[in-house]
Amino acid sequence: MTLTRRDLWLFWLFALLLLATGLGLRDPWPADEPRFALVAKQMVESGDWLFPHRGTELYSDKPPLFMWMQAGLLWLTGEMRIAFLLPSLLAALGTLWCVVDLGSRLWTRRIGVYAGWAVLLTLQFTWQAKKAQIDPMVVFWITLSCYALLRHVLRGPDWRLWVLGWAAAGLGTITKGVGVLALLVLVPAGIAALRGWPGVRVHARDARFWLGPLAFVAACGVWLVPMLVAALGNGSGDYRAYVDDILLRQTVTRYANSWHHGQPWWYFIEVALTAWLPTMLALPWALPAWRRRLRRRDARYVVPLGWVLLVFVFFSIPSGKRDMYILPALPMLALALAPLLPGLLRKPAAQRLLLGFVALFSVVALAAGLAMLLGEPGFERRFMEGRDAHVAGGLAWMFAAVGAFGLGGCLWFGRRRAHAALVAMLAALWVLYSLVGAPLLNDGSSSRGLMRNVGAAIGPDAELGLVGWREQQLLMADRPAADFGFKREPALQFADGVRWQHARPASRWLLVEQGEGLPACIDPARARDMDVANGRRWWLLDAEATRGCR
């Protein structure tokens, strides 16, 4: 086996270790995971896959492709703990494959492996890959589209890849509207081609060029066409509101006039310099190296880097910003960085900087673990609200172990192999988090503990209604639960809940979030405090507790 082939196998083993460890050991956590898992579960149970539902209401915040994948895997496996996380795992592995293969084709196999490591070791990438949010799937579709389009314009023409690139962008769009951003890679490619840069051609004069836009429309139509036909033919105001919300308010309006997550224009620069560590530690050497290669008119750099810049500009314009929005730009940045890494890692200054990062990260983790073991720091008190006491001890030992492992790696590998110490520390971090941290946090984060206690309190034959609920309560309930709307005002939900309860007062209970306080009509002596879950206090009410509310 050649050295490069061995390095490739080692990379994929580490990728599986970091990304797949812990699969099946936890339930969905807020904010987004329970929402998507609940929608997928209801798709399987109801058979209505075209229009997602959250409880009794239509869910129009996101297109359904990601939830279709979760629902399909739930139908295949019958196990929610596996089905809800598996799409993110497969998407992350697919993203890494695209980066490794494209790096190998544009440069060498060794460079492809370096590109893969640059993505895998980035903190935000692995963190998102281990969560069941839409973003890892969007990153995959965008990266697949860039992969296919770059192979066409830099190593083509290859019209099958051209069609694949546009189709992947279309599938990304019906996963989350920003999937269309992948097509912006044609902007720097077109400019470079017009300026006569060697090695880049868009082939726009060939009639087969138009197969790409047709593939994009066809991919979007997989969902859009049947949805529009069904919604507009239904005649219901709810379905027409669904169309307006998902096609206009959640896309155009949300971009032009964001209504939450306000941040300054430089926010994503801050995100890249922190959440994209340790990869961004290479920037002091990468920036002048990129400048030299651009002066040599090397299109392999200008096209991915130009696209990364366009993505940053696009997301920086609206006021609403979240840290994961910018994640799709990481794979192409890593691709442009990878050819520089072999030489960079031979620089003593780069090794010292990397070793300093590993040492600092390890010291912070070790200090946090020791502080939790030997005292009760403020961050622990805030974090432990609503959680069992044993959780703190387990997390403390986990932090201490990560810190000790990282410091041990620094001593073992030294200044000449700081990158090996980095891999060792991050492997310890993600494996221990997956096997120790996530299972310890699961009951409190997923509301499984709350809903287990609720089920025990009301007995197996009782009925349960939810007021002011969150997706995790309905998902984790041990029985079918009634809801009275999700977006409706809590007071209206409560009024309907009381009427529902008093139709069968002997067997029906209400689980109510306290919010600003329980309604004055409730008998406090009959209300059962179910403690705090997900930062909210919950109360269990029987018919006697709500007698004065009729």
Side-chain angles (χ1 to χ4, degrees):
M1 181 181 293
T2 64
L3 184 62
T4 301
R5 190 172 182 83
R6 187 200 67 183
D7 290 345
L8 182 62
W9 278 102
L10 185 64
F11 167 77
W12 285 115
L13 287 174
F14 264 90
L16 285 172
L17 176 68
L18 269 60
L19 300 177
T21 301
L23 185 68
L25 297 184
R26 70 172 181 92
D27 299 295
W29 295 357
D32 297 326
E33 290 181 351
R35 183 178 312 139
F36 303 141
L38 176 64
V39 168
K41 180 173 179 282
Q42 290 188 237
M43 284 179 175
V44 175
E45 292 174 345
S46 68
D48 184 0
W49 291 54
L50 192 55
F51 293 99
H53 282 75
R54 174 170 49 191
T56 55
E57 293 180 354
L58 287 167
Y59 175 68
S60 58
D61 287 10
K62 296 290 186 295
L65 184 59
F66 178 74
M67 290 157 273
W68 284 349
M69 297 190 69
Q70 287 187 322
L73 290 166
L74 177 61
W75 179 78
L76 285 172
T77 65
E79 179 54 60
M80 176 60 76
R81 281 190 167 189
I82 294 176
F84 90 99
L85 279 172
L86 200 52
S88 293
L89 171 62
L90 296 176
L93 293 173
T95 299
L96 292 173
W97 181 88
C98 290
V99 171
V100 171
D101 191 70
L102 187 56
S104 301
R105 292 176 184 275
L106 295 182
W107 287 280
T108 66
R109 282 189 178 182
R110 186 184 183 209
I111 298 305
V113 173
Y114 273 100
W117 279 114
V119 175
L120 177 63
L121 297 181
T122 300
L123 293 174
Q124 189 186 42
F125 177 82
T126 306
W127 173 244
Q128 290 296 328
K130 298 180 79 66
K131 300 169 71 175
Q133 294 180 331
I134 287 181
D135 299 277
M137 185 62 61
V138 176
V139 171
F140 167 69
W141 290 123
I142 291 177
T143 305
L144 177 62
S145 180
C146 290
Y147 165 87
L149 295 176
L150 285 174
R151 282 189 57 185
H152 173 77
V153 301
L154 297 177
R155 288 291 182 267
D158 189 321
W159 295 106
R160 287 181 297 181
L161 287 173
W162 175 252
V163 170
L164 173 62
W166 283 80
L171 293 174
T173 302
I174 64 170
T175 302
K176 193 175 183 180
V178 296
V180 71
L181 290 180
L183 300 179
L184 288 179
V185 77
L186 297 176
V187 173
I191 293 173
L194 288 173
R195 293 175 65 89
W197 285 41
V200 55
R201 293 290 183 275
V202 179
H203 312 285
R205 295 181 179 179
D206 193 305
R208 288 171 290 184
F209 175 92
W210 299 103
L211 292 174
L214 287 174
F216 177 83
V217 172
C220 292
V222 169
W223 165 65
L224 275 174
V225 171
M227 183 274 292
L228 288 172
V229 169
L232 299 178
N234 181 277
S236 167
D238 289 343
Y239 286 89
R240 291 182 180 272
Y242 172 89
V243 173
D244 291 340
D245 191 48
I246 198 164
L247 296 185
L248 296 177
R249 182 173 178 269
Q250 296 294 339
T251 53
V252 178
T253 304
R254 189 167 190 164
Y255 181 80
N257 187 24
S258 304
W259 54 85
H260 50 49
H261 304 301
Q263 298 290 348
W265 67 267
W266 64 82
Y267 174 71
F268 287 119
I269 298 175
E270 178 185 326
V271 170
L273 293 176
T274 53
W276 288 7
L277 289 172
T279 298
M280 296 300 281
L281 294 176
L283 273 188
W285 295 274
L287 291 175
W290 283 334
R291 189 181 304 115
R292 290 191 296 270
R293 282 155 177 79
L294 294 181
R295 285 174 181 170
R296 295 201 296 262
R297 297 157 60 92
D298 192 333
R300 296 174 299 177
Y301 293 92
V302 72
V303 178
L305 287 176
W307 179 78
V308 168
L309 180 61
L310 290 174
V311 172
F312 268 79
V313 170
F314 176 87
F315 283 114
S316 297
I317 292 173
S319 59
K321 302 174 179 70
R322 297 179 69 188
D323 60 349
M324 71 280 292
Y325 287 178
I326 207 66
L327 186 60
L330 174 66
M332 292 301 104
L333 183 73
L335 181 72
L337 182 65
L340 315 177
L341 290 179
L344 194 154
L345 290 176
R346 290 194 293 268
K347 295 180 179 292
Q351 287 286 338
R352 286 195 295 269
L353 179 61
L354 195 56
L355 190 67
F357 170 78
V358 176
L360 178 61
F361 194 104
S362 302
V363 167
V364 171
L366 181 60
L370 293 177
M372 293 174 69
L373 288 171
L374 302 177
E376 193 175 346
F379 71 86
E380 179 185 355
R381 289 194 298 271
R382 292 190 298 271
F383 184 73
M384 287 303 298
E385 185 179 13
R387 302 182 189 274
D388 294 336
H390 75 279
V391 173
L395 291 178
W397 282 110
M398 184 194 77
F399 287 136
V402 171
F405 204 88
L407 291 176
C410 290
L411 295 173
W412 181 265
F413 294 107
R415 288 181 296 177
R416 294 185 178 181
R417 299 184 63 200
H419 52 286
L422 173 71
V423 173
M425 182 197 70
L426 291 180
L429 170 67
W430 295 121
V431 169
L432 288 174
Y433 164 77
S434 301
L435 297 181
V436 178
L440 282 172
L441 296 170
N442 188 60
D443 271 13
S445 294
S446 68
S447 278
R448 177 175 286 276
L450 167 69
M451 300 313 292
R452 182 173 56 242
N453 294 337
V454 167
I458 66 178
D461 299 322
E463 296 178 69
L464 180 65
L466 304 176
V467 174
W469 53 284
R470 298 296 181 268
E471 294 92 345
Q472 56 267 28
Q473 279 84 51
L474 185 55
L475 181 66
M476 290 290 106
D478 63 352
R479 67 202 69 202
D483 76 88
F484 313 99
F486 182 84
K487 293 185 176 180
R488 298 177 70 210
E489 289 294 326
L492 298 177
Q493 294 185 43
F494 182 75
D496 286 352
V498 169
R499 285 192 288 271
W500 170 84
Q501 183 178 47
H502 285 276
R504 293 183 186 173
S507 61
R508 288 181 171 175
W509 296 72
L510 292 176
L511 182 66
V512 180
E513 181 196 348
Q514 182 175 356
E516 297 180 357
L518 290 172
C521 62
I522 290 177
D523 180 0
R526 298 286 304 182
R528 299 192 190 184
D529 184 358
M530 301 307 294
D531 209 348
V532 174
N534 305 121
R536 299 174 176 88
R537 185 166 295 278
W538 299 88
W539 296 84
L540 192 58
L541 310 175
D542 62 7
E544 290 297 316
T546 61
R547 176 179 294 181
C549 302
R550 287 184 291 181

